[in-house]
Amino acid sequence: SWNATVPSAAELGIVGLWHFNGSGSIGNLAVIADSSVKKYNGTASNVGGTGMAYQAGLAALNQAINFDGVDDAVTVGNIGTGIKTVEFWIYSNANGPVLELSVTTSISVAVNAISLTGFGTPTTYVNGSAGSALTLNEWNHVVVVDTTGVSASAVNFGKVGAGYRTGPLDEVAIYNRVLTTTEITNHYNTGIGKELAPKALSIQLAASGCSTGEDVALNPSCNGTHASNGWNGVGDTGYVGYDGTAN
């Protein structure tokens, strides 16, 4: 057994964390919860009332949201400045918009690769390695880091400008710090179901409930829900997993 000291959300640098977990169709104006302490909850835009729905994602990550490419989006709004990392899982089945941080900064898919607009000094990682090419018809883990930092004054998921995404999106996380290459690799490995050695573990909180230095082993309920299956993170909610992975 082992005990983990839990850093605060501020230490993690998490600005927002949207798991996209749920079931069934998603109606217009439905709340899409932010699991971080900031609580930047999003609002579903689905005026037509069809197409937008939760669906199965990767087994380790629970559900995802499927966007219909017509009028589906999640509007979050202004979450601040100095954004240095954007992370998400995307099922690569179509080119087009993914998300926008502001009217000038966005992420899309073009020719089956991640395309960036408005970032200052970005580096893109796909499936744990530097690069922008996506694997078609599979889930891909994408991380964009920008040491300069960008504004996130008008955040939308599933749309960029007047264009809408077609296909699933999951586990969007936004940070005000640059994730390390080790963290990026670990997040990818966790998402595809690989276990890490215990020495790599460091349970990191992304939701309110635990103060800095509080021991999860002694107070497993402090982060909302902590499953009985221990450190592998499956079924646990309200925190970023042992290696920083959203769960």
Side-chain angles (χ1 to χ4, degrees):
S1 64
W2 59 279
N3 295 334
T5 298
V6 181
S8 67
E11 289 175 295
L12 296 178
I14 295 175
V15 178
L17 174 63
W18 299 266
H19 293 307
F20 293 171
N21 289 337
S23 61
S25 61
I26 301 173
N28 191 41
L29 304 182
V31 174
I32 308 299
D34 170 16
S35 295
S36 80
V37 295
K38 302 289 187 179
K39 300 302 178 188
Y40 288 121
N41 294 335
T43 301
S45 175
N46 182 18
V47 177
T50 61
M52 192 177 192
Y54 292 106
Q55 69 161 62
L58 285 169
L61 302 176
N62 300 312
Q63 289 76 47
I65 290 181
N66 186 57
F67 297 83
D68 70 2
V70 177
D71 62 357
D72 295 350
V74 175
T75 298
V76 177
N78 186 1
I79 65 173
T81 60
I83 302 305
K84 295 185 176 181
T85 302
V86 180
E87 177 179 29
F88 55 89
W89 285 83
I90 185 171
Y91 190 84
S92 180
N93 61 336
N95 294 320
V98 177
L99 60 84
E100 58 187 358
L101 299 179
S102 70
V103 294
T104 58
T105 306
S106 61
I107 303 174
S108 298
V109 176
V111 196
N112 298 320
I114 294 297
S115 176
L116 308 177
T117 299
F119 288 84
T121 53
T123 303
T124 302
Y125 297 83
V126 174
N127 297 334
S129 300
S132 61
L134 302 172
T135 302
L136 191 62
N137 296 322
E138 290 185 12
W139 281 101
N140 291 258
H141 178 243
V142 177
V143 179
V144 177
V145 299
D146 188 324
T147 56
T148 303
V150 297
S151 171
S153 59
V155 176
N156 289 285
F157 306 138
K159 73 182 289 287
V160 173
Y164 291 87
R165 167 163 175 71
T166 300
L169 185 66
D170 198 12
E171 297 294 335
V172 179
I174 296 176
Y175 305 76
N176 60 17
R177 69 176 179 90
V178 173
L179 290 186
T180 67
T181 54
T182 298
E183 287 174 314
I184 292 168
T185 301
N186 287 346
H187 291 196
Y188 167 63
N189 285 337
T190 303
I192 62 174
K194 290 185 179 180
E195 292 186 352
L196 302 182
K199 66 181 180 181
L201 310 184
S202 60
I203 290 183
Q204 299 180 332
L205 211 62
S208 58
C210 292
S211 60
T212 301
E214 188 161 8
D215 191 332
V216 171
L218 298 178
N219 186 9
S221 63
C222 68
N223 62 345
T225 303
H226 186 74
S228 60
N229 57 353
W231 58 265
N232 66 4
V234 178
D236 299 342
T237 61
Y239 71 95
V240 166
Y242 44 82
D243 62 345
T245 299
N247 213 319

